[in-house]
Amino acid sequence: MNKFNVLLNLQKYWQHFVNWMASGSDLQVWQESDRRGNISCWHAYDPITGRSACFGSEEEIRIWIDKCYYR
């Protein structure tokens, strides 16, 4: 492995660590896209409860969040 690859790996792990530290206990929501850039699904993860979910649309994930967190 050359120095460039080592630096890239270190940068990647550092970014994962920073993201993990910054996320804390907040609900995490992200979208997954296909190769063309079309949104294929929405993901949610609650680090406090360990619950996770995947939905086909933004509307579905908003409904799930409302039911879980704004009762």
Side-chain angles (χ1 to χ4, degrees):
M1 197 182 267
N2 63 32
K3 288 182 183 180
F4 183 72
N5 287 339
V6 171
L7 289 175
L8 283 177
N9 283 334
L10 285 174
Q11 181 182 12
K12 179 177 72 172
Y13 290 117
W14 176 254
Q15 189 61 49
H16 284 293
F17 175 75
V18 169
N19 289 343
W20 177 73
M21 290 295 290
S23 66
S25 61
D26 294 339
L27 177 68
Q28 300 169 24
V29 177
W30 67 97
Q31 60 190 19
E32 189 174 314
S33 301
D34 62 17
R35 291 181 182 188
R36 293 181 180 161
N38 301 318
I39 298 171
S40 58
C41 64
W42 289 83
H43 296 274
Y45 172 69
D46 184 347
I48 293 177
T49 64
R51 288 190 299 182
S52 63
C54 182
F55 299 94
S57 71
E58 183 178 356
E59 183 179 0
E60 290 173 327
I61 201 164
R62 287 178 182 269
I63 291 168
W64 181 79
I65 291 170
D66 285 343
K67 286 182 180 176
C68 292
Y69 300 98
Y70 301 109
R71 294 180 183 193

